């Protein structure tokens, strides 16, 4: 177990380094720079600015400098948002994104798992059909569609929910719902099919032959086996939530990390691009590791190598 | 004579599938007394497992008993609610399944799965249940039982797992143990061990056993009586010696011919039964074995034969026997 | 067992006990006809009403996106002065004047946008982009993934180990971040290439954004396909008929082509079909956040994105692209599910 985790951490560090290097290389392929956007500054100012942030040095030197500082825990200052360090911006943005993302993952699991179970247990009946139809349509609707349709209904037509910002609990309703919609549908389908498979397993027959009640058969024997695919899905789900958060943060103008990432790219804010990319990549990789370890705990058959 | 434990009278059972009604059991009657060991023999799909499962009401929802009665240990099984049935399952009657690799839940320890059934049907607390589980594991011949209790199914071999399944089945000292091809999925050497264990346990505990198998060799060692099933019908029924040395039904004869015998000379080839079993969705109206039978007569294709009594407790349903009777009757007149 | 008396309900005859002949015996046995894998799958597919409906819808969407624009009187970039922000089926004053003058004016079925462009034609072109992205990206992924996977699986050993290690690494890279980065950066070298090297001027015809998407998707999404193909090849490699072919002297290339590829076809078709909606999904997402297909070329994602700015005044503008994209993805999902049920029951989970 410890060896496995150590190995995975090493691989993750390697992947992170790869991501950082690719990002660094890609960043400079884009013409223009962080100081060119609004009004073009004079050549002298530009030179001074470049010198100040070390952008006048050869790329390879800049790369080395960045990496050395990064390892020391310094991600530098934002080139656009003057006076704020990258870590500060990331930490404020992440607090917001994590709240919305975490809530929606929680909701997706809490709704999706029971829905899938209900569908599987009522296989072929109307309740199953309703859940299947809704879930199948659900995975075909991109989050920006859900978000905007919610907005039309609850803000434009009914006018009962606020459209931007995050100052009260009402502000959370639409972003979280929009973000949770797709994974809820996906988990329902996943849970249904894995539940159906588990219900047909021999050990369920054994449980029944023991004289166990329907309730115990379901909660003790079926659920723990059937939930395994959902656990594996949590890794991709976290990555998905991130993607969704780019969209949802844009629509509801939420000052989250997704927004920070996109705008840093569009603004050529080099240090911010590096910082956010590495941070988000680390987050996804770490979550995948956590999911794999959790899987091991639930399923004793899995041997981690 | 000991008590009548199981009495199945003219049971008829069908599966209602989208493709149509599959008549899985057709007029099955079985009687077992306490301590009896009955072998049910037949090909896959002949209805032997369905018969056993119907005693425990373990069939999928598409399967319904549409005629006859099942009485077990004073309970009329047909009329029992699921709730009452649960008190019997695993307690008064229990079952060992064919494939020990898939019959145990992979995510719980052996101890957990044995204690579960003990705690369900007795008043034992957790500690007492664990003690009983340990006792059961040594009873079924598993060494280091205390250590095994903490292991998961995937850490045990197939033979070990089947021993665990037997331990689970015996946990509440059932009156009747159903063994549904308990050795089919195991290696030959392990098969012998498991059979030996079952014979031992039967001697020690004295419960009744229904042994379901397609292997006549297994029933010869264990059973007192044998029911030979074909296409949802018992075609021959009788004491083990009668079936082996005085078989009457053409199907039984065919089964016996297809067992390899070491004692016989090499040039005596094995004789397979030609053809495939009937399609249970469209069963023929006559004798189901007729299409594969070498001695098939015109009447066999039209009508189902009745049972003929050969000796005490030896019955067979075959027109050849009826023919004998008919011809004798004709001579008398 | 219960013994019964013989209450024969009919009279027996000596002739009944005559041996039955072979024909009589065989007449009892009804054999079910056996069918080949493909025909069986096709039959199952045709019976699947949902899958067939989605298939028909997809064909209709194709006609809508590729054929109808040829006959449509407006073009997607044409800005009709004076006809800005029209509601569906409405006419602007200059158009009403033309109509009054007896000229035929084609109605704006879905209205126009803030620049006076007809929404219907833009919806058609947007669907075209989505379909193109879905199909081309999936085919590229299929090609790269299956070649890579086949080579790794077929040669095995160190080659396999090395090749799959690369796959593992790409797998752990968070794809969406790299996609966004690549989308932004690739545009510039591509544009340069198209303008400076005449041999690459076709890039401008297809559109830099679209080429970008193709490259980015095929760079990152092939790994999943490669894994599936490799495991298929590994399983098939152990099958007897491949050993038999090898024993008969068939070369590697022939074995790969003839035996391995034909036998994993079912899985490949299903996986590719299910790749289409996910590519469409990602494209619409990229266009929505503003880094997908470049203006004036419309994409369903960018149309939805623009519609948000006018959400209070023109909420209906959002519905058309939103419904269209959902319909396309839904149909492809259901088609893929149907194909899977018909041709590849193993893949179900």
């Amino acid at each position: 177990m410890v060896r496995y985790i150590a190995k995975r951490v090493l691989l993750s560090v390697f992947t992170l380094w790869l991501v950082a290097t690719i990002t660094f290389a890609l960043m400079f392929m884009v013409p223009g720079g962080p100081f060119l956007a609004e009004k073009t500054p004079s050549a002298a100012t530009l030179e001074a600015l470049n010198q100040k942030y070390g952008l006048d040095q050869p790329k390879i030197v800049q790369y080395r400098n960045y990496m050395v500082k990064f390892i020391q825990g310094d991600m530098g200052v934002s080139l656009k948002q003057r006076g704020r360090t990258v870590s500060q911006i990331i930490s404020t943005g992440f607090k917001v994104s994590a709240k919305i993302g975490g809530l929606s993952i929680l909701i997706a699991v809490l709704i999706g798992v029971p829905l899938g179970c209900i569908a599987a247990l009522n296989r072929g009946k109307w309740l199953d059909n309703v859940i299947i139809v809704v879930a199948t349509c659900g995975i075909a609707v991109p989050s920006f569609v859900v978000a905007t349709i919610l907005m039309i209904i609850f803000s434009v037509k009914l006018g009962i929910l606020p459209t931007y910002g995050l100052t009260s609990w009402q502000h959370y309703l639409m972003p979280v719902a929009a973000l949770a919609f797709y994974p809820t549908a996906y988990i329902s389908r996943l849970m249904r099919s894995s539940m159906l498979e588990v219900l047909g397993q021999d050990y369920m027959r054994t449980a029944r032959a023991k004289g166990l009640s329907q309730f115990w058969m379901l909660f003790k024997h079926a659920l723990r086996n059937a939930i395994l695919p959902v656990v594996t899905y949590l890794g991709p789900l976290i990555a998905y939530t991130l993607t969704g958060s780019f969209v949802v943060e844009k629509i509801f103008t939420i000052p989250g990390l997704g927004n920070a990432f996109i705008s840093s790219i569009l603004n050529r804010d080099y240090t911010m691009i590096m910082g956010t990319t590495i941070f988000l990549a680390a987050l996804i990789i770490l979550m995948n590791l956590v999911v794999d370890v959790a899987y091991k705990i639930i399923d004793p058959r899995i041997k981690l190598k | 004579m000991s008590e009548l434990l199981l009495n199945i009278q003219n049971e008829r059972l069908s599966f209602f599938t989208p493709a149509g009604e599959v008549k899985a059991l057709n007029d099955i009657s079985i009687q077992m007394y306490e301590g009896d060991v009955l072998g049910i023999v037949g090909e896959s799909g002949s209805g032997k497992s369905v018969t056993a499962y119907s005693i425990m009401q373990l069939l999928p929802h598409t399967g319904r008993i549409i005629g006859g009665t099942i009485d077990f240990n004073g309970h009329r099984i047909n009329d029992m609610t699921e709730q009452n049935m649960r008190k019997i399952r695993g307690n008064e009657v229990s079952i060992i399944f064919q494939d020990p690799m898939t019959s145990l839940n992979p995510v719980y320890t052996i101890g957990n799965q044995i204690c579960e059934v003990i705690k369900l049907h007795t008043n034992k607390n957790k500690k007492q249940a664990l003690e009983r589980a340990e006792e059961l594991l040594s009873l079924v011949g598993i060494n280091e039982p205390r250590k095994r209790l903490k292991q998961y199914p995937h850490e045990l071999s197939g033979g070990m797992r089947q021993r665990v399944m037997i331990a689970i089945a015996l946990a509440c000292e059932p009156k009747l143990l159903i063994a549904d091809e308990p050795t089919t999925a195991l290696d030959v050497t392990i098969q012998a061990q498991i059979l030996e264990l079952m014979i031992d346990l039967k001697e020690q505990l004295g419960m009744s056993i229904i042994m379901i198998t397609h292997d006549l060799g297994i029933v010869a060692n264990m059973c007192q009586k044998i029911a030979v099933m074909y296409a949802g019908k018992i075609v021959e029924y009788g004491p083990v010696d009668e079936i082996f040395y005085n078989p009457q039904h053409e199907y039984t004869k065919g089964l016996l011919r297809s067992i390899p015998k070491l004692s016989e000379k090499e040039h005596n080839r094995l004789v397979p039964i030609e053809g495939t079993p009937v399609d249970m969705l469209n069963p023929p109206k006559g004798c189901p074995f007729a299409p594969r039978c070498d001695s098939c007569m015109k009447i066999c294709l039209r009508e189902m034969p009745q049972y003929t009594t050969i000796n005490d407790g030896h019955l067979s349903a075959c027109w050849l026997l009826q023919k004998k009777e008919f011809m004798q009757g004709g001579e008398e007149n | 067992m219960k013994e019964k008396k013989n209450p024969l309900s009919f009279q027996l005859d000596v002739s009944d006990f005559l041996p039955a002949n072979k024909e009589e015996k065989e007449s009892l046995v009804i054999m079910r006809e056996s069918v080949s894998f493909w025909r069986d799958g096709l039959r199952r597919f045709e019976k699947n009403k949902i899958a067939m409906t989605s298939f028909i819808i997809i064909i209709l969407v194709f006609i809508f996106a590729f054929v109808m624009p040829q006959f449509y009187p407006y073009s997607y970039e044409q800005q009709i002065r004076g006809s800005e922000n029209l509601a569906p089926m409405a006419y602007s004053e200059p158009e009403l004047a033309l109509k009054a003058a007896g000229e035929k004016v084609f109605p704006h079925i879905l209205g126009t946008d803030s620049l006076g462009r007809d929404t219907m034609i833009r919806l058609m072109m947007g669907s075209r982009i989505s379909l193109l992205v879905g199909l081309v990206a999936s085919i590229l992924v299929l090609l790269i993934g299956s070649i890579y996977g086949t080579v790794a699986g077929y040669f095995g050993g160190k080659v396999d180990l090395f090749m799959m290690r690369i796959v593992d690494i790409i797998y752990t890279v968070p794809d969406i971040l790299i996609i966004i980065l690549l989308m932004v950066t690739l545009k510039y070298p591509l544009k340069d290439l198209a303008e400076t090297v005449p041999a690459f001027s076709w890039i401008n015809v297809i559109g830099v954004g679209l080429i970008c998407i193709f490259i980015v998707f095929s760079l990152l999404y092939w790994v999943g396909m490669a894994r599936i193909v490799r495991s298929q090849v590994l399983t098939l490699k152990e099958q007897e008929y491949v050993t038999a072919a090898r024993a008969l002297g068939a070369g590697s290339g022939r074995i790969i082509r003839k035996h391995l590829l034909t036998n994993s076809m079912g899985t490949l078709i299903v996986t590719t079909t299910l790749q289409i909606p996910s590519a469409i999904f990602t494209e619409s997402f990229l266009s929505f956040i503003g880094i997908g297909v470049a203006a004036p070329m419309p994409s369903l994602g960018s149309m939805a994105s623009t519609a948000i700015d006018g959400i209070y005044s023109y909420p209906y503008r959002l519905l058309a692209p939103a419904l269209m994209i959902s319909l396309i993805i839904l149909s492809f999902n259901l088609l893929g599910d149907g194909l899977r049920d018909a041709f590849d029951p193993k893949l179900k989970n």
Side-chain angles (χ1 to χ4, degrees):
Chain A
M1 189 77 164
V2 176
R3 260 194 76 185
Y4 169 78
I5 295 177
K7 209 176 140 189
R8 280 288 301 266
V9 169
L10 268 178
L11 184 70
S12 309
V13 171
F14 176 74
T15 312
L16 269 183
W17 169 79
L18 199 72
V19 170
T21 309
I22 294 173
T23 313
F24 196 88
L26 287 175
M27 235 162 43
F28 289 105
M29 277 167 67
V30 186
F35 313 116
L36 292 175
E38 302 114 41
K39 41 184 183 181
T40 316
S42 70
T45 346
L46 195 61
E47 202 172 314
L49 276 169
N50 277 341
Q51 207 168 1
K52 183 182 170 197
Y53 294 105
L55 295 176
D56 53 340
Q57 284 163 310
K59 295 284 179 284
I60 189 76
V61 178
Q62 288 186 37
Y63 175 71
R64 206 194 56 209
N65 289 346
Y66 184 84
M67 284 301 176
V68 169
K69 275 196 172 169
F70 183 83
I71 290 166
Q72 291 164 346
D74 180 8
M75 292 200 278
V77 289
S78 166
L79 303 181
K80 274 300 215 202
Q81 303 178 44
R82 302 285 160 81
R84 292 186 73 194
T85 65
V86 174
S87 345
Q88 278 171 349
I89 300 174
I90 288 179
S91 100
T92 36
F94 180 63
K95 270 180 207 146
V96 173
S97 297
K99 247 187 253 170
I100 292 180
L103 269 176
S104 55
I105 290 176
L106 197 70
I107 284 173
V109 172
L110 287 182
I111 297 178
V113 168
L115 273 186
C117 289
I118 291 169
L121 293 176
N122 291 290
R123 185 186 195 172
K125 296 188 190 142
W126 67 269
L127 198 57
D128 179 28
N129 291 333
V130 169
I131 292 174
I132 275 293
V133 168
V134 172
T136 309
C137 294
I139 61 165
V141 187
S143 51
F144 65 81
V145 174
V146 182
T148 42
I149 287 176
L150 284 178
M151 209 160 163
I152 291 179
I153 298 175
F154 292 103
S155 303
V156 179
K157 297 282 175 212
L158 301 176
I160 48 175
L161 287 178
T163 49
Y164 57 88
L166 267 186
T167 41
S168 70
W169 64 269
Q170 288 100 327
H171 286 89
Y172 281 91
L173 287 179
M174 283 200 292
V176 169
L179 211 47
F181 189 78
Y182 175 91
T184 307
Y186 193 92
I187 291 178
S188 307
R189 276 168 55 105
L190 197 63
M191 194 63 203
R192 177 182 179 273
S193 69
S194 91
M195 193 58 156
L196 280 179
E197 200 193 317
V198 167
L199 289 178
Q201 291 289 320
D202 286 351
Y203 53 77
M204 291 308 292
R205 196 177 53 182
T206 308
R208 191 150 174 242
K210 281 177 177 173
L212 286 179
S213 64
Q214 192 86 28
F215 178 84
W216 275 113
M217 278 171 65
L218 212 67
F219 275 83
K220 189 180 165 187
H221 288 274
L223 203 59
R224 184 141 164 210
N225 283 290
I227 207 129
L228 286 172
V230 177
V231 175
T232 9
Y233 173 64
L234 285 181
L237 172 60
I238 290 157
Y240 165 82
T241 311
L242 190 69
T243 319
S245 74
F246 293 163
V247 165
V248 169
E249 284 173 15
K250 179 185 151 118
I251 296 173
F252 296 105
T253 36
I254 296 164
L257 202 52
N259 237 341
F261 175 68
I262 307 277
S263 59
S264 73
I265 290 182
L266 298 177
N267 289 334
R268 322 263 185 274
D269 190 343
Y270 295 139
T271 43
M272 272 300 288
I273 298 179
M274 288 300 285
T276 42
T277 312
I278 295 175
F279 179 82
L280 291 172
L283 186 71
I284 292 178
I285 293 170
L286 179 75
M287 286 305 170
N288 277 328
L289 180 62
V290 170
V291 164
D292 285 354
V293 173
Y295 197 85
K296 158 78 183 165
I297 294 166
I298 302 178
D299 188 348
R301 283 168 301 180
I302 303 295
K303 287 248 161 63
L304 300 180
K305 280 175 287 176
Chain B
M1 208 170 192
S2 49
E3 294 268 317
L4 186 63
L5 181 69
L6 174 70
N7 187 9
I8 303 180
Q9 294 279 359
N10 307 100
E11 180 185 1
R12 287 190 298 125
L13 188 147
S14 288
F15 288 100
F16 294 89
T17 68
E21 182 186 350
V22 177
K23 291 181 176 149
L25 295 183
N26 212 342
D27 235 1
I28 296 288
S29 298
I30 289 174
Q31 268 128 34
M32 277 181 83
Y33 291 90
E34 277 182 12
D36 272 0
V37 180
L38 170 76
I40 303 183
V41 187
E43 298 169 331
S44 353
S46 61
K48 48 193 195 315
S49 300
V50 175
T51 311
Y53 290 3
S54 72
I55 300 168
M56 290 181 80
Q57 296 264 33
L58 274 184
L59 291 165
H61 297 294
T62 48
R64 277 209 302 276
I65 298 176
I66 48 173
T69 54
I70 305 175
D71 289 285
F72 167 74
N73 203 21
H75 310 285
R76 172 58 60 91
I77 300 288
N78 310 48
D79 304 338
M80 273 176 86
T81 58
E82 175 67 21
Q83 209 162 7
N84 286 330
M85 211 47 231
R86 286 209 299 265
K87 291 178 191 146
I88 298 178
R89 284 189 205 127
N91 190 16
E92 292 173 36
V93 50
S94 52
I95 185 163
I96 310 166
F97 294 108
Q98 179 175 347
D99 193 352
M101 307 310 269
T102 55
S103 292
L104 290 165
N105 194 328
V107 299
Y108 292 103
T109 58
I110 303 299
N112 185 323
Q113 298 189 54
I114 302 178
C115 290
E116 180 180 53
V117 67
I118 299 171
K119 279 190 279 186
L120 189 68
H121 296 294
T122 64
N123 295 323
K124 292 195 169 83
N125 61 28
K126 200 176 172 191
K127 199 171 152 255
Q128 290 165 320
L130 269 171
E131 279 164 16
R132 169 79 178 139
E134 202 180 322
E135 190 183 308
L136 282 163
L137 284 186
S138 32
L139 182 72
V140 296
I142 289 180
N143 54 1
E144 299 179 82
R146 190 175 293 255
K147 197 182 122 198
R148 301 288 179 203
L149 286 176
K150 294 194 190 92
Q151 289 189 318
Y152 288 95
H154 72 275
E155 295 171 275
L156 305 181
S157 68
M160 286 282 217
R161 289 192 219 179
Q162 196 60 299
R163 284 171 197 267
V164 172
M165 281 302 292
I166 295 174
I168 290 175
L170 296 178
C172 300
E173 296 176 344
K175 293 253 171 128
L176 174 66
L177 174 67
I178 299 171
D180 184 9
E181 308 212 24
T183 59
T184 312
L186 302 173
D187 287 345
V188 183
T189 47
I190 312 291
Q191 282 189 6
Q193 288 173 16
I194 296 286
L195 279 179
E196 213 164 289
L197 171 71
M198 289 195 63
I199 294 171
D200 273 1
L201 290 172
K202 144 109 194 92
E203 306 276 294
Q204 272 183 51
L205 308 172
M207 71 256 172
S208 308
I209 298 179
I210 294 181
M211 185 82 189
I212 297 167
T213 178
H214 58 259
D215 186 349
L216 275 170
I218 289 175
V219 286
N221 289 325
M222 266 192 87
C223 308
Q224 293 136 10
K225 287 197 175 158
I226 294 177
V228 180
M229 288 193 73
Y230 190 84
K233 196 161 170 63
I234 296 181
V235 294
E236 188 158 10
Y237 179 86
V240 65
D241 287 349
E242 280 280 322
I243 298 288
F244 272 86
Y245 298 111
N246 186 24
Q248 293 297 321
H249 197 276
E250 289 301 305
Y251 179 62
T252 318
K253 290 180 192 168
L255 275 184
L256 287 166
R257 275 198 297 270
S258 58
I259 305 177
K261 293 191 188 74
L262 286 175
S263 58
E264 283 185 15
K265 292 194 185 103
E266 274 178 35
H267 62 257
N268 276 353
R269 286 203 170 180
L270 285 181
V271 186
I273 303 176
E274 297 289 339
T276 49
V278 289
D279 183 353
M280 297 293 276
L281 267 175
N282 312 295
K285 64 178 185 209
C287 170
F289 189 60
R292 298 170 72 187
C293 180
D294 290 333
S295 320
C296 176
M297 301 176 296
K298 290 193 189 305
I299 181 85
C300 301
L301 303 172
R302 274 206 331 261
E303 290 286 336
M304 196 78 160
Q306 301 288 338
Y307 287 113
T308 311
T309 310
I310 295 106
N311 271 320
D312 184 34
H314 182 182
L315 306 173
S316 178
C318 179
W319 278 114
L320 284 172
L321 301 169
Q322 302 271 355
K323 178 187 172 189
K324 227 191 272 171
E325 242 170 45
F326 178 80
M327 293 305 183
Q328 280 165 1
E331 275 162 29
E332 275 164 26
N333 284 343
Chain C
M1 172 154 303
K2 206 186 166 197
E3 190 195 339
K4 279 196 208 152
K5 270 272 152 225
N6 254 349
L8 291 181
S9 54
F10 55 96
Q11 212 53 42
L12 281 178
D13 201 318
V14 185
S15 68
D16 286 335
F17 293 121
L18 291 175
N21 58 29
K22 216 174 168 194
E23 289 74 49
E24 282 175 305
K25 273 164 79 173
E26 271 168 6
S27 69
L28 277 181
V29 185
I30 309 147
M31 289 296 275
R32 293 190 193 155
E33 55 174 326
S34 67
V35 279
S36 78
F37 170 74
W38 290 108
R39 191 174 302 170
D40 192 37
L42 211 62
R43 206 172 56 181
R44 256 178 294 177
F45 183 74
E46 276 166 13
K47 266 194 190 158
N48 188 338
K49 277 185 204 125
I50 295 174
M52 280 309 276
T53 316
S54 338
F55 187 58
I56 293 168
I57 290 177
I58 289 171
I59 292 176
L60 291 179
V61 173
F62 263 92
I63 295 173
F64 176 75
F66 287 93
V67 182
M68 275 169 60
Q70 314 294 331
F71 304 104
Y72 206 74
Y74 302 106
S75 100
Y76 69 90
E77 47 195 348
Q78 177 189 358
Q79 302 182 4
I80 307 161
R81 284 263 171 86
S83 299
E84 290 87 4
N85 293 330
L86 289 181
M89 297 309 284
Y91 293 98
S92 61
E93 274 173 31
E95 280 168 347
L96 283 174
L98 277 176
K99 268 179 80 128
E103 269 188 68
K104 272 191 183 165
V105 176
F106 198 81
H108 301 288
I109 301 171
L110 290 176
T112 58
D113 65 8
S114 54
L115 294 174
R117 296 176 296 193
D118 185 86
T119 308
M120 193 67 180
I121 183 79
R122 290 184 70 75
L123 190 68
M124 290 177 192
M125 296 309 284
S127 311
R128 183 188 284 192
I129 296 290
S130 286
L131 291 173
L132 267 179
V133 166
L135 285 180
V136 177
S138 303
I139 289 168
L140 286 175
V141 164
L142 171 72
L143 277 179
I144 301 174
S146 54
I147 290 172
Y148 194 93
T150 314
V151 171
Y154 187 80
F155 290 104
K158 278 193 184 134
V159 180
D160 181 34
L161 198 74
F162 177 72
M163 289 176 83
M164 291 328 276
R165 198 35 60 82
I166 294 177
V167 167
D168 287 345
I169 290 169
I170 298 181
Y171 220 84
T172 47
V173 171
D175 47 11
I176 199 68
L177 299 178
I178 300 295
I179 286 178
I180 293 175
L181 275 169
L182 277 174
M183 282 302 298
V184 177
T185 50
L186 262 184
K187 245 184 257 169
Y188 300 96
L190 275 177
K191 220 182 260 170
D192 281 352
L193 198 66
E195 278 159 14
T196 50
V197 187
F200 284 99
S201 55
W202 52 267
I203 290 179
N204 274 336
V205 179
I206 302 175
V208 174
L210 214 49
I211 299 275
C212 256
I213 290 182
F214 295 156
I215 295 176
V216 168
F217 282 13
S218 36
L219 270 179
L220 283 156
Y221 283 150
W222 60 273
V223 282
M225 182 66 88
R227 276 187 172 179
I228 291 172
V229 174
R230 172 181 168 269
S231 71
Q232 281 271 316
V233 171
L234 283 183
T235 333
L236 288 168
K237 218 165 79 169
E238 304 305 318
Q239 309 272 332
E240 271 89 4
Y241 55 79
V242 175
T243 322
R246 196 186 292 258
L248 287 171
S252 307
R254 195 182 144 78
I255 291 180
I256 290 181
R257 264 200 323 277
K258 183 132 197 267
H259 294 275
L260 300 183
L261 278 181
T262 40
N263 278 287
S264 43
M265 210 49 119
T267 317
L268 292 189
I269 292 176
V270 173
T271 321
T272 309
T273 315
L274 290 172
Q275 180 79 53
I276 296 173
S278 94
I280 295 177
F281 218 114
T282 313
E283 184 278 325
S284 72
F285 157 74
L286 291 175
S287 299
F288 185 84
I289 59 172
I291 52 178
V293 178
M297 187 53 100
S299 150
L300 296 178
S302 58
M303 283 175 75
S305 179
T306 357
I308 288 191
D309 300 335
I311 195 164
Y312 281 95
S313 333
Y314 316 104
Y316 59 85
R317 268 190 212 162
L318 193 88
L319 280 179
L323 285 178
M324 198 66 203
I325 190 111
S326 306
L327 181 74
I328 294 176
I329 294 174
L330 180 65
S331 310
F332 272 110
N333 273 341
L334 292 174
L335 177 73
D337 285 353
L339 285 174
R340 182 185 55 200
D341 292 344
F343 291 106
D344 201 358
K346 283 172 298 184
L347 252 184
K348 203 144 191 177
N349 288 294

